[in-house]
Amino acid sequence: MQLLRNFKSFDFGEATFRYYGTYGPVNGLVIQLVQLFEGDCIVKIDEQDYILRKGETSLIIAKQKLEYIYPAETSHRVRWCNVKLQGHSQLPSLISSQYTISTTEKLDFIFQSALEVEYTDSVNASILRDSYGQTLFNEFVNEIEEEEFKSPLPLPVRECLKYINRNLVSDISAKSVSEDLKYSYAFMNSIFKKNIGLSIAKYIWTERVNKAYQLLTEEDYSVLEISEICGFKNQQHFSRAIKEQFKRTPTEIRRLTRRYNYTQICSEQTYNNAAV
């Protein structure tokens, strides 16, 4: 992370995709901060899929290939800050990765201020833009370090939670998560369940169905698109999981939430579970 404080030159941009859009593929090394403030999207980093969500700011490091996919049926708004990479000898030591935090007011303010400079013809625009870029990256690193310092969770659990969040769209399992993080499955699952209260597999399943519910009730993606965004193997598997959790099919949930809220559905679910 310390290397991220050493970049000196940047450019900023923003775009709106009304219903569908793509960015890339861009080949070669790319380092950027991305802020999504409307809609969710999928980012492919060296062929690995990740989810970027509304209200989050993400650091993206791609060493070979980067591509963004903004699904149809909903609007997307995104801002970015690219690092100009010429002259950085330490860059080969970086690994492809994605780090995400919730967008803070300060990050939002820096981004907005930089964009105002980006679109002016001021003599000092380049100097101001680079200053904002340095400030933005420093603030992002500060937020990550502060978040890790404050967290009461052990490091393996924090790593596991971040990995699951970044890879929810992919075909991950408790075993694959443990292997990729270089921990034994028995150790990882034990320490995770001790601190989170769920096994890794159950946590992944719960995150997927909860994210799917949010998309069903708040966005206009098709049921098939939501099943893909949330990492389900196919639409049938997705529908079974949703019905198991909420006692209704995805189509029924979408129709009913135009009249009822999430609390009412959950209350019915609790009643049904108690009656079993």
Side-chain angles (χ1 to χ4, degrees):
M1 281 293 175
Q2 191 59 37
L3 177 59
L4 300 176
R5 299 183 186 273
N6 298 332
F7 297 128
K8 304 296 183 184
S9 187
F10 309 85
D11 61 65
F12 290 80
E14 61 180 342
T16 299
F17 300 94
R18 291 300 178 191
Y19 295 105
Y20 175 79
T22 61
Y23 171 80
V26 178
N27 296 315
L29 181 62
V30 179
I31 302 174
Q32 59 184 198
L33 284 176
V34 177
Q35 188 181 89
L36 203 62
F37 53 104
E38 186 175 336
D40 296 348
C41 76
I42 298 171
V43 56
K44 293 180 176 291
I45 303 174
D46 298 336
E47 304 303 332
Q48 177 68 53
D49 290 355
Y50 301 92
I51 301 174
L52 299 188
R53 298 186 175 92
K54 175 176 63 177
E56 294 180 340
T57 300
S58 296
L59 168 68
I60 305 297
I61 301 175
K63 297 200 73 172
Q64 298 175 349
K65 186 177 180 181
L66 176 67
E67 183 176 12
Y68 289 89
I69 300 172
Y70 300 93
E73 307 302 331
T74 191
S75 180
H76 304 82
R77 297 177 65 197
V78 60
R79 299 168 176 162
W80 62 86
C81 172
N82 290 320
V83 175
K84 295 181 180 179
L85 297 169
Q86 296 86 347
H88 289 284
S89 60
Q90 292 177 282
L91 294 182
S93 65
L94 291 173
I95 60 172
S96 300
S97 55
Q98 180 238 358
Y99 300 89
T100 297
I101 61 174
S102 297
T103 298
T104 63
E105 289 185 7
K106 191 169 184 179
L107 286 172
D108 187 63
F109 175 78
I110 297 169
F111 245 121
Q112 186 59 44
S113 300
L115 286 167
E116 291 174 3
V117 170
E118 185 75 25
Y119 300 130
T120 67
D121 296 325
S122 167
V123 175
N124 296 320
S126 177
I127 296 173
L128 288 171
R129 181 178 60 239
D130 291 342
S131 177
Y132 278 125
Q134 288 178 303
T135 303
L136 184 65
F137 269 80
N138 282 334
E139 179 62 20
F140 184 86
V141 173
N142 289 342
E143 289 290 340
I144 288 181
E145 291 177 346
E146 183 176 352
E147 183 179 280
E148 291 181 348
F149 178 77
K150 289 181 177 179
S151 176
L153 297 173
L155 178 60
V157 178
R158 297 202 307 268
E159 290 178 334
C160 189
L161 290 170
K162 289 180 179 179
Y163 184 95
I164 292 170
N165 180 63
R166 293 198 304 264
N167 294 278
L168 204 60
V169 69
S170 303
D171 184 18
I172 58 173
S173 65
K175 184 177 180 180
S176 68
V177 171
S178 303
E179 289 177 349
D180 286 351
L181 293 176
K182 311 302 181 187
Y183 295 107
S184 73
Y185 167 75
F187 167 78
M188 189 72 256
N189 204 50
S190 175
I191 193 172
F192 189 90
K193 189 170 185 178
K194 179 179 179 181
N195 285 272
I196 303 300
L198 298 171
S199 67
I200 296 174
K202 185 64 175 179
Y203 180 84
I204 292 171
W205 185 88
T206 302
E207 285 294 290
R208 282 176 169 160
V209 295
N210 286 341
K211 178 60 181 176
Y213 182 90
Q214 178 191 349
L215 294 176
L216 283 167
T217 57
E218 297 180 7
E219 305 289 350
D220 294 323
Y221 298 120
S222 69
V223 172
L224 176 59
E225 286 175 324
I226 293 174
S227 70
E228 292 173 347
I229 290 172
C230 296
F232 288 92
K233 294 179 180 179
N234 53 58
Q235 190 170 339
Q236 290 72 29
H237 181 216
F238 169 66
S239 296
R240 284 197 301 270
I242 293 298
K243 191 165 186 179
E244 178 182 341
Q245 178 73 355
F246 299 107
K247 309 305 178 187
R248 289 190 171 92
T249 67
T251 302
E252 289 172 336
I253 288 175
R254 173 157 279 173
R255 184 177 68 250
L256 288 168
T257 49
R258 299 182 187 277
R259 292 176 293 166
Y260 302 109
N261 61 31
Y262 176 66
T263 303
Q264 288 171 299
I265 288 182
C266 287
S267 296
E268 291 181 24
Q269 176 195 344
T270 302
Y271 174 80
N272 290 335
N273 289 342
V276 173

